[in-house]
Amino acid sequence: MDLKALQNGSDIRGIAVEHEGKTANLTPAQVGKIAVGMVHWLRDEKNLADKHQSGQLKIGIGHDSRISADSLKQALIDSFFEQNVEVLDFGLATTPAMFMATQFPQYDCDAAIMITASHLPYYFNGLKLFTKSGGAEKADIAFILEHADEPALVAKGSVTKYSILEDYSADLTDKIRKGMKTAEEKPLSGFHIIVDAGNGAGGFFAEKVLAKLGADITGSQFLEPDGMFPNHIPNPDNKEAMASIQQAVLKNKADLGVIFDTDVDRSAVVDASGEVINRNNLIAVLATIVLAEYPGSSIVTNSPTSSHLKEFIESKGGKQVRYISGYRNVINKMIELNDEGIDTQLAIETSGHAAFKENYYLDDGAYVIAKILMLLPTLKKEGSTLGDLISSLKQPAETQELRFEILDSHVRDYGEQVIRDLSGFVLSQRGMKVDPENHEGIRVNVYDEYGRGWFLLRMSLHEPLLVLQVENDQAGMNQKVLDELALFFEGYKQLDLTKLYEILKK
């Protein structure tokens, strides 16, 4: 099997458990080979073994709650052991905690691996890889997979078990107290905060962080790890998941609800009034926090953000940089801007991936919540809520997302041609104008007979799809925009337009 097919941008992902006729392609055998490629990368490309007198690498391994985690972890351990690697087996962990295994001096790992497939269904799994300098890039994963079949160093290593979540939680609570400017042991006393971990790896946050800081966590749900995800998909970008935490907050009359994805690199919240704060709203909250601390700084987002968000960030004295979708892309853009001397403190996608310059440029869902927790005592004194922070953020009347499968064998070429042709189509239309501040696909502002809004057509990062997002401030006008776009799309026979036609028939 071609291991290169397992590359998912800067991660490795595949089917780890056979499901409804889908054959597993990320098996222990495959992972054992990938471990060989990882060692080649760490030794030959990163030269990390050179810093040790023994020439022995130290690699930490953790995993989320998926049912395939143990077998894939053992495959990594077995392969690394035979390649003279010192393995630290951290067991149940989170993606941000595994990065911290390269930073905490008590572990000092040369590299760390998180076994996770984020929010994907239970039968998927994957690998995320970190060194002290950050997450692996797309080119790094390509190198690893290309070198997986090469000869491996043969020398025995070692394996030791640790639990990193205790140390990670203690570090986080210290940072929260510091952010609150208090030495008080329980600064969240009097606050009722609910956690929904979705049976992923985030359940630790309730007892090990919130309760330690004095919060009442009564009503927290789905904290126990269960790789079948029996209650809902652990995904802050999922409507069912967000409805679940929203109901829990209102039922328990909590001050705040917190929800994580499976491996805790994404999060979202619900405030005391039941308002869901994710996507554009979460970006607005974090932008408000960042711009109060670092006035005038830039904030990198992915491309499908509301036009109102740009106005909101500018009203706070900041600048939004809309960039290419993909969490590594927005993080790398933040790093690039800072290297150019442009103060950029936050990179965030609408999916909830958010990284702060002050926190190793790491997309850490728990740190996002930590930044919000730091605000709570002040908000309580003022008698306001998180929702009040973003009350000036205008909300669109309607939003829609449609995905069109590209049936042509040359997926990217065909999709990019459609995007180029759409640019010409827009030039011939009244009430449509291409937005020049865009790095991905084509973003078009609409006005007059199409209401007031925008649409974005872009290639999907990892699937053979064109993604169309449409937003309008006038109810009913998305339909008019889609009617017009349907005239354009009907000339492209290699697009599956079923969803578009279903909407237009309604």
Side-chain angles (χ1 to χ4, degrees):
M1 188 183 65
D2 183 9
L3 291 177
K4 294 176 186 176
L6 295 171
Q7 179 160 8
N8 185 68
S10 56
D11 301 342
I12 292 167
R13 284 188 190 170
I15 296 172
V17 178
E18 290 190 9
H19 175 76
E20 295 180 355
K22 293 182 174 71
T23 303
N25 60 356
L26 187 68
T27 63
Q30 305 300 333
V31 168
K33 290 181 179 181
I34 292 168
V36 173
M38 287 179 175
V39 171
H40 276 293
W41 177 63
L42 294 169
R43 288 183 185 280
D44 305 338
E45 287 290 294
K46 308 297 283 186
N47 300 314
L48 292 179
D50 295 348
K51 74 173 191 177
H52 301 292
Q53 193 171 6
S54 65
Q56 186 179 56
L57 292 167
K58 184 191 286 189
I59 302 177
I61 305 173
H63 58 81
D64 66 20
S65 59
R66 290 173 184 276
I67 61 173
S68 56
D70 284 338
S71 61
L72 298 187
K73 179 182 72 173
Q74 194 58 50
L76 287 172
I77 289 173
D78 291 346
S79 182
F80 288 146
F81 181 79
E82 296 297 329
Q83 296 180 77
N84 189 30
V85 172
E86 180 185 352
V87 177
L88 280 63
D89 176 2
F90 289 109
L92 185 73
T94 69
T95 293
M98 288 312 301
F99 169 74
M100 293 305 293
T102 70
Q103 306 296 318
F104 288 153
Q106 64 268 43
Y107 302 122
D108 193 29
C109 292
D110 298 306
I113 299 163
M114 179 67 179
I115 304 171
T116 182
S118 189
H119 62 281
L120 292 180
Y122 79 91
Y123 49 89
F124 282 89
N125 217 326
L127 306 170
K128 292 184 178 181
L129 180 60
F130 298 96
T131 63
K132 291 180 185 295
S133 59
E137 299 287 351
K138 192 174 180 179
D140 300 325
I141 299 300
F143 179 96
I144 289 167
L145 296 177
E146 286 168 5
H147 291 76
D149 287 319
E150 292 190 3
L153 175 71
V154 180
K156 302 299 183 188
S158 63
V159 182
T160 311
K161 291 192 174 186
Y162 294 94
S163 175
I164 197 170
L165 288 180
E166 292 286 346
D167 292 320
Y168 174 79
S169 300
D171 180 66
L172 202 56
T173 54
D174 287 345
K175 287 173 177 173
I176 292 168
R177 290 190 188 99
K178 185 178 178 181
M180 290 179 177
K181 297 180 173 60
T182 181
E184 187 182 344
E185 185 181 356
K186 296 184 181 296
L188 290 179
S189 291
F191 287 94
H192 187 180
I193 304 173
I194 286 174
V195 175
D196 182 330
N199 302 112
F204 78 95
F205 195 83
E207 286 286 351
K208 297 182 186 300
V209 177
L210 294 176
K212 292 281 187 185
L213 291 168
D216 176 0
I217 57 171
T218 306
S220 291
Q221 57 188 20
F222 319 137
L223 303 183
E224 289 298 316
D226 186 333
M228 295 300 291
F229 311 129
N231 294 290
H232 62 68
I233 294 173
N235 181 5
D237 206 25
N238 177 270
K239 289 182 179 179
E240 180 187 1
M242 292 309 297
S244 179
I245 182 64
Q246 186 180 30
Q247 290 164 13
V249 167
L250 294 173
K251 177 183 175 183
N252 289 277
K253 298 180 180 178
D255 298 301
L256 190 72
V258 174
I259 186 168
F260 295 113
D261 76 341
T262 318
D263 59 326
V264 196
D265 60 1
R266 292 188 298 133
S267 58
V269 296
V270 172
D271 78 0
S273 68
E275 181 177 354
V276 171
I277 300 177
N278 63 352
R279 300 187 67 81
N280 289 288
N281 289 350
L282 181 62
I283 298 173
V285 166
L286 298 182
T288 300
I289 293 170
V290 162
L291 291 170
E293 295 174 341
Y294 306 94
S297 65
S298 293
I299 293 162
V300 181
T301 73
N302 59 332
S303 59
T305 57
S306 166
S307 56
H308 299 311
L309 182 65
K310 180 176 184 289
E311 296 164 5
F312 179 86
I313 290 172
E314 289 177 349
S315 75
K316 299 287 183 180
K319 180 185 177 184
Q320 180 188 10
V321 179
R322 280 198 305 251
Y323 197 57
I324 302 166
S325 295
Y327 72 94
R328 286 305 314 169
N329 293 327
V330 296
I331 291 172
N332 286 343
K333 185 63 176 178
M334 172 170 63
I335 295 170
E336 176 191 319
L337 290 172
N338 280 304
D339 288 345
E340 292 173 1
I342 301 169
D343 184 33
T344 310
Q345 293 291 331
L346 173 65
I348 180 168
E349 284 201 295
T350 47
S351 65
H353 279 288
F356 293 83
K357 178 184 176 182
E358 67 187 27
N359 189 46
Y360 308 95
Y361 296 108
L362 174 67
D363 55 322
D364 182 344
Y367 191 78
V368 166
I369 302 304
K371 292 293 287 185
I372 291 171
L373 293 177
M374 293 171 196
L375 271 184
L376 290 188
T378 301
L379 291 177
K380 190 171 186 178
K381 283 179 187 175
E382 296 172 351
S384 59
T385 67
L386 286 175
D388 294 333
L389 282 182
I390 57 172
S391 58
S392 63
L393 175 65
K394 296 177 183 175
Q395 301 294 334
E398 52 187 14
T399 61
Q400 281 175 293
E401 179 179 286
L402 290 85
R403 293 171 171 256
F404 308 134
E405 184 178 357
I406 299 171
L407 306 175
D408 192 90
S409 57
H410 299 93
V411 171
R412 182 153 294 277
D413 290 343
Y414 191 87
E416 289 176 349
Q417 185 62 56
V418 174
I419 290 169
R420 284 194 296 272
D421 293 350
L422 181 57
S423 180
F425 175 80
V426 167
L427 287 173
S428 68
Q429 302 300 306
R430 288 184 58 228
M432 292 186 182
K433 187 176 182 180
V434 175
D435 190 331
E437 291 186 33
N438 185 59
H439 292 274
E440 183 175 35
I442 178 172
R443 185 175 176 123
V444 177
N445 296 318
V446 299
Y447 50 92
D448 291 345
E449 61 262 48
Y450 299 111
R452 180 178 173 81
W454 57 274
F455 65 84
L456 172 73
L457 184 69
R458 63 182 177 87
M459 290 289 297
S460 168
L461 281 177
H462 308 302
E463 297 177 271
L465 302 172
L466 277 172
V467 182
L468 175 67
Q469 281 153 291
V470 191
E471 182 176 295
N472 213 295
D473 292 342
Q474 291 181 230
M477 284 300 184
N478 269 4
Q479 187 83 6
K480 195 162 186 180
V481 172
L482 292 174
D483 282 337
E484 195 66 39
L485 290 177
L487 298 175
F488 167 78
F489 284 125
E490 68 182 8
Y492 296 89
K493 304 304 180 187
Q494 295 301 306
L495 289 181
D496 182 353
L497 301 171
T498 305
K499 294 291 183 185
L500 176 61
Y501 294 141
E502 285 176 358
I503 290 172
L504 295 179
K505 285 178 184 176
K506 290 180 180 177

